[in-house]
Amino acid sequence: MKLYVANWKMNKTRTEARAFAGELGARIGARADRVELVLAPPFTALDAALDPAGRWALAGQNLGSEGFGAYTGEVSGHMLAEAGCRYVIVGHSERRRLFGEDGSLLARKLARAREANLIPIYCVGETEEERDRGSTDSVLERQAGTLSQDPPRSPLVVAYEPVWAIGTGRAATPEDAAAARARLAGLLSARADLRLLYGGSVTADNAAELLRVSEMDGFLVGGASLDAESFARIAGLGQRS
Ligand code: PGA
């Protein structure tokens, strides 16, 4: 089953999240059993984005690297799980780049996610400079190495998100996404339950071709997930039922 994750980043109030959930529910009707949908709203809108009918799951966009305690501003894995999350995004490039999150911190976050029974959606991807230098493969290898302590039999989602493609309108070519998919599948061949996603300027117009050629298991979608119709179309649930 393909997996489509909506990463809203720092967008949508509770009121806006409720409106989105209502519209998405109306669009997909009862048909969401053909695909797996996940919404990753801001923490404050988790309950507003929850579907009582269970047609989509929730993800946190981030979690604290410690279990609990005096860490002002942090939200723990257990808090996310109790708030209804099944997944949590770990190591998004915006966290790495803007908030200085590195491999050792991310390894601790992965461990906290597992303690809370959350499935990590672990993000990897090279910057434009790294790509121009020809170091895409070594970057993916280093970032995948952060998973070395993560239990290999537990379900894991890894999203390949080239930094130069995020929010730029310049998606990777389907062939580049296919190459990254093959590379990551090789690096993570010991994993028993792995799904690989592509992320970076996915839209309703490029999704079908990207998915077909890259053979990815789905997408992590930013900008185009803010609109319920656009997100439903990306997931192949275009027509109102
Ligand atoms: P984008 O973001 O779809 O807006 O490029 C993707 C992401 O950051 O997950």
Side-chain angles (χ1 to χ4, degrees):
M1 197 156 27
K2 298 293 184 195
L3 172 62
Y4 300 92
V5 183
N7 175 16
W8 289 353
K9 311 191 178 185
M10 198 171 72
N11 294 291
K12 292 196 191 294
T13 62
R14 297 167 59 79
T15 306
E16 289 164 344
R18 230 174 263 118
F20 180 106
E23 192 183 340
L24 185 64
R27 285 197 173 270
I28 66 180
R31 292 176 305 152
D33 52 353
R34 286 193 287 113
V35 296
E36 185 176 353
L37 303 178
V38 179
L39 303 185
F43 298 141
T44 47
L46 279 168
D47 64 335
L50 188 112
D51 180 27
R55 290 165 297 177
W56 57 82
L58 295 178
Q61 295 179 16
N62 182 28
L63 81 166
S65 60
E66 307 301 325
F68 63 93
Y71 302 99
T72 301
E74 293 292 274
V75 170
S76 77
H78 289 294
M79 293 169 187
L80 292 175
E82 197 208 30
C85 291
R86 184 185 305 160
Y87 295 90
V88 63
I89 299 173
V90 178
H92 189 279
S93 69
E94 284 150 20
R95 301 296 319 172
R96 292 178 191 263
R97 194 165 46 87
L98 303 172
F99 302 96
E101 299 196 359
D102 61 7
S104 62
L105 180 81
L106 296 175
R108 292 214 305 282
K109 292 193 174 199
L110 287 164
R112 297 297 88 71
R114 293 303 184 187
E115 285 164 10
N117 282 322
L118 294 167
I119 301 172
I121 300 171
Y122 178 69
C123 300
V124 298
E126 80 285 1
T127 64
E128 181 143 48
E129 196 199 342
E130 288 163 340
R131 180 184 170 84
D132 291 346
R133 266 193 276 130
S135 41
T136 298
D137 282 0
S138 60
V139 169
L140 296 184
E141 190 175 340
R142 174 170 49 79
Q143 293 176 338
T146 299
L147 294 162
S148 62
Q149 300 300 311
D150 188 64
R153 308 207 62 78
S154 299
L156 173 69
V157 180
V158 172
Y160 170 62
E161 297 210 306
V163 179
W164 47 269
I166 294 178
T168 57
R170 190 158 64 95
T173 64
E175 293 73 19
D176 280 345
R181 189 199 179 289
R183 178 81 184 139
L184 287 166
L187 288 168
L188 299 168
S189 60
R191 304 291 317 198
D193 183 350
L194 173 68
R195 283 178 291 175
L196 292 168
L197 308 183
Y198 168 77
S201 297
V202 174
T203 65
D205 293 331
N206 64 17
E209 177 76 354
L210 263 170
L211 201 65
R212 188 181 62 77
V213 176
S214 71
E215 299 186 342
M216 287 283 185
D217 300 303
F219 294 125
L220 179 52
V221 189
S225 77
L226 293 172
D227 175 73
E229 181 191 356
S230 150
F231 182 57
R233 281 178 59 206
I234 288 169
L237 301 166
Q239 302 305 311
R240 201 180 270 268
S241 60

